Amino acid sequence: MKAEKDPKTGKWLIQYRYTDWSGKRRKSTKRGFNTKREAEEWLRNFLTKEQNKCDMLFEDFLQKYYEDMGTRLREHTMRTKRYIIDLKILPYFGKRKMNEITAADIRRWQSELLKQGYAPTYLKTINNQLAAIFNYASRYYDLPNNPCKKAGSIGRSKADEMQFWTQEEFSRFIDCLMNKRLSYIAFMVLYWTGIRLGELLALTVDDVDFEKHTLNINKSLQRMNGKDVITEPKTPKS
């Protein structure tokens, strides 16, 4: 890997080999140097950086990210993550190399999202997914710079104040369901316990302690790919 004169331009070039992110050996050429020393110095710097560079395409890195996170997250959580990333992030960054995506690129992507009129909390959620990918790349694949940190975030974590029924309003509503026994029971449980819909639908008789007047919330019903699937509750506090 010695520098040599380019017969076409009279400038210096250097041919070199390196190992890419997939472990394959590659051969490449860098041209346009004014001196031999400049060419050799560039190569030394390149090879030093290459050892810590994440030079794969975003879409290729994403598959590695999915494979790893898929073993650590609940199925429903992973499906939600993939849905957001595949729809809102992958089309924009898929063909870009991870180490070439800049803070300016992130800002332009954010601007496109802002134009769509999404709720601030949804914007925050989308942005957090991209940030999580680059945090993962920085931590486990030695990506030198995380462009999301420089770009900043968008949206906000807290939604607008939620509107709740008062007890009087709920009483007027529930009176209309007196002749629909299952619906009446379902809405009474939802209103007075605050459990999620999926947790309600997963309840069985064994989850009810009639002596202590308690419910055991230990599972949730999710609809996935046209099938009903029982999963763990969304959070440990559930």
Side-chain angles (χ1 to χ4, degrees), residues 146-157:
N146 184 340
C148 287
K149 290 184 178 180
K150 292 183 179 180
S153 186
I154 54 174
R156 62 174 183 263
S157 301

Side-chain angles (χ1 to χ4, degrees), residues 4 21 24 53-54 57 71 84 127 135 141 143 151 185 190 192 220 222 238:
E4 58 186 47
W21 64 271
K24 294 181 180 180
K53 285 180 74 175
C54 188
L57 294 178
T71 63
I84 293 173
N127 195 85
N135 285 336
Y141 284 79
L143 183 69
I185 295 174
L190 288 170
W192 290 109
S220 181
Q222 309 288 342
S238 296

Side-chain angles (χ1 to χ4, degrees), residues 61-151:
F61 181 80
L62 194 56
Q63 295 309 309
K64 292 180 174 292
Y65 176 72
Y66 282 159
E67 289 173 9
D68 189 12
M69 300 308 293
T71 63
R72 301 167 188 270
L73 299 177
R74 295 172 62 235
E75 181 182 357
H76 182 67
T77 301
M78 193 64 201
R79 285 174 60 87
T80 300
K81 175 184 282 289
R82 292 194 63 146
Y83 176 82
I84 293 173
I85 294 173
D86 291 349
L87 189 64
K88 306 299 182 183
I89 300 175
L90 182 59
Y92 195 94
F93 296 107
K95 298 301 181 181
R96 299 287 302 276
K97 284 190 175 183
M98 288 290 293
N99 60 357
E100 293 179 354
I101 297 174
T102 66
D105 295 325
I106 304 294
R107 300 282 293 188
R108 283 191 287 270
W109 168 75
Q110 291 174 338
S111 295
E112 291 299 318
L113 289 177
L114 289 168
K115 295 176 183 177
Q116 302 303 314
Y118 296 127
T121 50
Y122 188 48
L123 289 172
K124 184 75 171 180
T125 298
I126 300 172
N127 195 85
N128 285 349
Q129 292 297 341
L130 181 63
I133 294 170
F134 278 101
N135 285 336
Y136 181 87
S138 298
R139 177 174 296 180
Y140 301 111
Y141 284 79
D142 298 320
L143 183 69
N145 299 302
N146 184 340
C148 287
K149 290 184 178 180
K150 292 183 179 180

